[in-house]
């Protein structure tokens, strides 16, 4: 089972996404165990503060190092022997890829820290964070939604998390030769608003269907994400 601990100022944000669909099923099946930790519970100075003004001035607030260090210490004490891999979600992180998600899905224990405000005291990052991850080149209000994205992407790769009919191996961005966007898909009825399903998909010729799907994937990738084709062996 994969243990995922999440340190956040807003644990209530996670209720919806984690109580539905594949993540909820995976948790019910004990493939993953997710625990939320309120950062405020670890703020024990005179004013119970988790943030303060940046030294040197400037806008916004900075998350203090000590409450975060205490939170990490608390989680580590409950995960003895598992040595959690600590991931900070922040726009300064390395951009998340499917390859990295697949690697992280093989860990036994992950500790996700959700950043907030103008940032986090660098000493916490230097002392306790193994890896900084960004989910893309845009700025969100905090690390909570990125943590949900990461948990969702990891959970569906856990063996047994997807139903038989789905396969993570066929994903767009799966490492290796299948790092292509998925081409168009269709379902019943065969005609919608005068538009037909491509004949080949109704032909029953599986080799031809496979060839067509691969062609469509390459065409779509070349048009929308040509950089994905650059690393291809010829
Ligand atoms: N926090 C704010 N923006 C973020 C992003 N793009 N990725 C990860 N964490 C973030």
């Amino acid at each position: 089972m994969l243990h995922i601990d999440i340190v956040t100022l807003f644990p209530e944000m996670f209720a919806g996404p984690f109580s539905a669909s594949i993540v909820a099923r995976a948790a019910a099946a004990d493939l993953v165990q997710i625990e939320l930790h309120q950062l405020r519970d670890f703020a024990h100075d005179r004013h119970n503060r988790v943030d303060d003004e940046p030294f040197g001035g400037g806008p916004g607030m900075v998350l203090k190092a000590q409450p975060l260090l205490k939170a990490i210490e608390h989680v580590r004490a409950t995960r003895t022997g598992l040595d959690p891999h600590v991931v900070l979600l922040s726009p300064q992180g390395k951009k998340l890829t499917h390859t990295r998600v697949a690697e992280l899905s093989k860990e036994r224990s992950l500790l996700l820290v959700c950043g907030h405000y103008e940032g986090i005291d660098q000493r916490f990052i230097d002392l306790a964070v193994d890896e900084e991850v960004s989910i893309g080149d845009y700025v969100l209000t905090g690390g909570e939604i990125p943590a949900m994205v990461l948990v969702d992407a990891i959970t569906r790769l856990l063996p047994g998390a997807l139903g038989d009919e789905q396969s993570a191996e066929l994903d767009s961005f799966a490492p290796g030769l299948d790092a292509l966007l998925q081409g168009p898909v269709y379902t019943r009825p065969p005609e919608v608003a005068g538009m037909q399903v491509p004949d080949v998909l109704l032909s029953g010729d599986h080799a031809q269907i496979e060839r067509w799907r691969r062609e469509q994937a390459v065409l779509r990738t070349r048009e929308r994400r040509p950089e994905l084709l650059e690393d291809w062996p010829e």
Side-chain angles (χ1 to χ4, degrees):
M1 179 179 28
L2 171 61
H3 296 269
I4 304 180
D5 290 279
I6 303 175
V7 174
T8 169
L9 283 168
F10 302 101
E12 68 278 9
M13 284 180 72
F14 293 81
F18 288 177
S19 66
S21 190
I22 288 159
V23 174
R25 258 206 339 250
D30 282 335
L31 302 177
V32 64
Q33 187 200 48
I34 303 168
E35 268 192 56
L36 296 159
H37 306 272
Q38 168 57 267
L39 177 59
R40 248 174 239 294
D41 294 346
F42 300 93
H44 298 309
D45 72 0
R46 270 186 302 142
H47 307 288
N48 274 5
R49 291 188 71 162
V50 292
D51 60 343
D52 209 332
E53 293 158 3
F55 278 127
M61 301 296 268
V62 175
L63 281 179
K64 293 160 72 71
Q66 298 100 319
L68 285 160
L69 288 169
K70 280 196 189 133
I72 301 290
E73 220 172 275
H74 167 80
V75 172
R76 282 198 180 281
T78 65
R79 300 275 177 250
T80 40
L82 289 179
D83 191 22
H85 180 73
V86 180
V87 177
L88 171 65
L89 286 309
S90 95
Q92 280 78 43
K94 197 162 166 193
K95 210 191 295 180
L96 189 62
T97 62
H98 190 78
T99 302
R100 190 66 197 129
V101 169
E103 288 163 3
L104 288 171
S105 76
K106 300 199 165 73
E107 293 278 346
R108 288 195 302 163
S109 173
L110 294 171
L111 202 174
L112 311 184
V113 180
C114 304
H116 249 278
Y117 309 124
E118 276 309 298
I120 293 199
D121 191 304
Q122 185 62 38
R123 292 164 295 184
F124 165 73
I125 299 173
D126 294 343
L127 284 167
V129 171
D130 296 313
E131 174 178 6
E132 270 184 86
V133 166
S134 163
I135 63 161
D137 291 336
Y138 41 82
V139 180
L140 298 160
T141 54
E144 281 74 17
I145 291 171
M148 293 174 210
V149 167
L150 185 56
V151 168
D152 187 284
I154 286 172
T155 301
R156 61 187 289 288
L157 294 185
L158 298 175
L162 296 182
D164 290 344
E165 72 282 6
Q166 291 171 288
S167 169
E169 278 162 31
L170 297 177
D171 289 347
S172 288
F173 303 115
L177 274 184
D178 288 303
L180 291 173
L181 301 185
Q182 190 189 61
V185 296
Y186 300 86
T187 186
R188 277 183 278 273
E191 187 191 314
V192 171
M195 299 170 78
Q196 310 289 333
V197 172
D199 285 339
V200 59
L201 296 179
L202 307 174
S203 70
D205 181 339
H206 292 291
Q208 225 194 319
I209 290 171
E210 231 8 83
R211 214 171 315 124
W212 182 84
R213 285 192 170 142
R214 164 70 38 154
E215 276 166 20
Q216 293 296 313
V218 172
L219 284 174
R220 182 174 276 188
T221 307
R222 189 175 295 142
E223 190 182 301
R224 299 183 183 181
R225 299 289 307 277
E227 77 280 8
L228 292 178
L229 294 171
E230 276 164 19
D231 314 328
W232 264 40
E234 281 310 314

